Amino acid sequence: MANNNINIHEKLHAIFIAYPLQGHLIPSVHLAIKLASQGFTITYINTLSVHNQTSKAQSHTAGDKNDDIFASVRKSAGLDIRYTTVSDGLPVDFDRSLNHDTFMAALVHVFSAHVEEVVGDIVGSSSKNTPPVTCLIADTFFVWPSKVAKKFGLLYVSYWTEPALVFTLYYHLHLLRNNGHFACPDVREDSINYIPGIKSIEPKDMTSYLQDSDTSSICHQLIFKAFNDVRGADFVLCNTIQELERDTISALQNDMSFYAIGPIFPIGFAKSSVATSLWSQSDCNHWLNSKPNGSVLYVSFGSYAHLSKQDLVEIANGLSSSNVSFVWVLRPDIVSSDDVDPLPVGFREEVGDRSMIIPWCSQIEVLAHRAIGGFLTHCGWNSILESIRCEVPLLCFPLLTDQFTNRKLVVDDWKVGINLSNETSVNEKEVSDNISRLMGGKLGNDCRKAIKELRMIMDNSLTPNGSSNRNLDQFIKDLKTRTRAA
Ligand code: UDP
């Protein structure tokens, strides 16, 4: 295969495919840039749908529609990133939020055929200016990368954009099943203490899919297949920090080449120069500039999860009675794209100038603003890493998927946040009481102190000799060794 040429080119060429969801796209684009700045040639494959949506979002703010999202960074930093698009199997304008299961089914059943074709074309196109492809870097949630990589003689690098704790729970699904904690008629409710590297975890802290009694959904099929496929990965890169998940990572390293290389952020933690936002971003700076330091609560439930109408109303009423100023990212599909203005009647007038309610923003810019003092969050992993980076303590209301497990890390293990509720739904009083606790109470101050320490750990991991950089260097070394041996 093409690796015969590696000594001539001595250049690693990776095909990179991100999962087409906002929370996967952002850390994938920035890992692609990071690897390119380490000398990789990257061929980045985007889905047509994501390409169109990010271009459309950008044209609303910047007035410019770009055919290649990496054009600016390639020019300014001289990086070798090539770019191409592929269909995810559905029409570009299909409402993927409203028809979530159809979208996931297309990714499981149709996408691989499209990808195979493009990967084949790229592998076959090596030339003087195109080094031979050495590896396929793809999101762990895809169900096909190890097969596609094998077909074209490439090494498979699996990219996991959630904490190692979540990876290891899915990876040890057979243990959960055999011990009666998953997919059994009488599921056990006691602590789980047999997963390598996890001292103990409660069933309620597992990902939502591992708590479901019906395991026939498309998301379950996707997880089962993906974690079967990842067993064929040559390397796993994880967007986490070694010092924060040391035992879990060490245990995984007994089984596989697993590297903690996070946090992956845009260069300088500034607004991304590559179009990664799926929606156009409202500018909050002017409004935030008028607010005192640490006085504003930032509220966002990420890009993907939905709130029930009842929880949304309780949260709105709680925000209203808290008297705290807030920026609320209210995606038009937060309840459903069928219900585009789900706020209680009169709410906007009631909260007036103490609120800024917007459909989307540059979250890292908002979190980094001196006026932000707390983050009411669904506990998406990127949001948590960004909040640590900005030393903003968290008020946690997990809704779906890994968010329950992420909450455990934030509240129980690291103590940098508090729960919005101890139940799966909320009421107005809990919301307003917990906002006061986070923004002004002793508990909030304790979290603020603890998050400063995590920020230091994060900063250290990113120094030239810090764990994340050392792990990335080691990965590149190991990849080169394997490539030469191929
Ligand atoms: N985000 C953003 N603007 C917003 C809300 C979110 O740019 O108004 C970004 C946020 O900075 C993060 C990503 O979208 O990088 C969301 O990822 P996360 O893992 O937190 O949650 P998900 O959307 O995957 O549930």
Side-chain angles (χ1 to χ4, degrees):
M1 98 110 217
N3 288 341
N4 296 340
N5 293 335
I6 193 72
N7 290 332
I8 301 165
H9 291 280
E10 259 304 322
K11 183 144 179 134
L12 294 165
H13 180 178
I15 296 178
F16 200 131
I17 312 181
Y19 211 77
L21 292 174
Q22 184 73 90
H24 296 249
L25 175 67
I26 294 173
S28 296
V29 161
H30 295 293
L31 176 59
I33 294 173
K34 193 159 189 166
L35 291 174
S37 48
Q38 297 279 330
F40 274 70
T41 294
I42 299 286
T43 299
Y44 189 96
I45 306 179
N46 206 356
T47 65
L48 260 175
S49 156
V50 166
H51 174 85
N52 277 24
Q53 205 179 329
T54 50
S55 307
K56 211 162 106 190
Q58 203 195 22
S59 67
H60 282 171
T61 36
D64 219 6
K65 198 170 161 164
N66 218 329
D67 281 338
D68 176 345
I69 62 169
F70 292 100
S72 62
V73 54
R74 183 182 306 116
K75 215 166 151 191
S76 63
L79 304 181
D80 188 0
I81 308 187
R82 296 125 196 251
Y83 183 71
T84 187
T85 53
V86 66
S87 164
D88 61 10
L90 291 167
V92 162
D93 289 330
F94 185 80
D95 186 339
R96 288 162 176 74
S97 165
L98 194 59
N99 302 284
H100 176 261
D101 285 4
T102 311
F103 177 32
M104 291 298 126
L107 293 179
V108 171
H109 300 300
V110 189
F111 191 41
S112 64
H114 293 275
V115 168
E116 241 181 81
E117 206 183 333
V118 182
V119 170
D121 289 349
I122 298 166
V123 168
S125 69
S126 101
S127 68
K128 202 158 69 87
N129 296 322
T130 306
V133 180
T134 41
C135 62
L136 174 68
I137 307 181
D139 196 292
T140 312
F141 273 121
F142 285 126
V143 301
W144 40 260
S146 79
K147 278 164 244 115
V148 173
K150 205 164 171 189
K151 177 168 175 182
F152 295 104
L154 307 175
L155 293 167
Y156 169 34
V157 182
S158 188
Y159 184 28
W160 182 245
T161 62
E162 295 176 4
L165 177 59
V166 175
F167 183 97
T168 210
L169 286 173
Y170 287 140
Y171 188 74
H172 291 100
L173 213 124
H174 56 289
L175 291 184
L176 293 167
R177 209 189 279 270
N178 294 345
N179 282 281
H181 277 107
F182 174 64
C184 313
D186 256 330
V187 76
R188 278 170 62 178
E189 289 176 6
D190 58 339
S191 313
I192 298 155
N193 53 15
Y194 46 79
I195 297 197
I198 306 181
K199 217 182 260 162
S200 179
I201 185 166
E202 299 306 312
K204 72 168 178 48
D205 295 327
M206 292 202 292
T207 73
S208 63
Y209 302 117
L210 292 174
Q211 296 186 51
D212 289 340
S213 45
D214 176 4
T215 60
S216 65
S217 77
I218 184 69
C219 285
H220 287 91
Q221 302 317 304
L222 189 156
I223 289 162
F224 300 155
K225 283 171 191 268
F227 274 82
N228 198 23
D229 190 80
V230 80
R231 290 176 186 273
D234 297 286
F235 305 94
V236 179
L237 302 180
C238 181
N239 188 16
T240 192
I241 302 161
Q242 190 165 318
E243 287 77 5
L244 296 189
E245 296 197 87
R246 198 183 284 283
D247 294 350
T248 311
I249 293 168
S250 298
L252 281 167
Q253 285 169 336
N254 291 329
D255 257 36
M256 66 186 80
S257 302
F258 190 96
Y259 307 79
I261 54 146
I264 299 293
F265 291 139
I267 293 163
F269 201 70
K271 198 169 173 172
S272 174
S273 52
V274 174
T276 54
S277 186
L278 293 177
W279 298 278
S280 69
Q281 301 170 327
S282 305
D283 190 347
C284 303
N285 277 317
H286 185 66
W287 185 85
L288 284 171
N289 287 345
S290 69
K291 303 293 176 200
N293 288 356
S295 66
V296 176
L297 180 72
Y298 172 62
V299 185
S300 169
F301 301 99
S303 61
Y304 178 72
H306 300 280
L307 272 176
S308 72
K309 179 103 169 192
Q310 193 187 337
D311 284 336
L312 178 114
V313 169
E314 297 294 332
I315 289 169
N317 290 337
L319 281 165
S320 175
S321 46
S322 74
N323 283 323
V324 162
S325 296
F326 60 92
V327 172
W328 189 355
V329 174
L330 205 63
R331 279 182 1 245
D333 68 337
I334 187 70
V335 170
S336 160
S337 40
D338 273 350
D339 182 0
V340 289
D341 194 6
L343 284 175
V345 177
F347 174 77
R348 286 173 197 271
E349 295 73 28
E350 211 172 284
V351 289
D353 184 48
R354 118 176 125 80
S355 72
M356 181 155 185
I357 302 168
I358 49 171
W360 197 249
C361 64
S362 163
Q363 178 166 297
I364 59 171
E365 245 189 331
V366 171
L367 280 175
H369 196 285
R370 51 150 196 87
I372 298 293
F375 182 4
L376 169 48
T377 174
H378 69 309
C379 294
W381 184 239
N382 295 293
S383 294
I384 291 169
L385 292 175
E386 290 159 8
S387 216
I388 294 173
R389 170 62 178 71
C390 298
E391 302 179 11
V392 173
L394 303 125
L395 184 52
C396 299
F397 190 53
L399 299 167
L400 191 75
T401 180
D402 60 324
Q403 296 150 23
F404 296 93
T405 315
N406 303 346
R407 181 219 64 84
K408 172 199 167 1
L409 292 171
V410 167
V411 177
D412 303 346
D413 296 359
W414 302 333
K415 302 190 177 10
V416 295
I418 61 176
N419 292 333
L420 183 69
S421 166
N422 290 322
E423 307 295 328
T424 47
S425 58
V426 271
N427 63 58
E428 174 184 341
K429 184 161 168 11
E430 277 175 318
V431 174
S432 82
D433 285 354
N434 282 319
I435 290 175
S436 305
R437 266 183 209 122
L438 185 81
M439 298 300 283
K442 173 176 179 326
L443 208 51
N445 281 339
D446 291 347
C447 291
R448 215 156 277 125
K449 270 188 214 141
I451 210 162
K452 274 190 197 310
E453 283 172 31
L454 284 203
R455 162 81 194 266
M456 264 164 59
I457 293 172
M458 182 181 268
D459 283 355
N460 285 338
S461 77
L462 294 172
T463 57
N465 204 27
S467 61
S468 296
N469 279 326
R470 271 189 283 117
N471 293 338
L472 187 67
D473 288 349
Q474 188 61 47
F475 158 67
I476 296 173
K477 235 190 231 163
D478 295 346
L479 179 62
K480 282 187 173 160
T481 307
R482 286 287 304 274
T483 304
R484 287 195 193 106

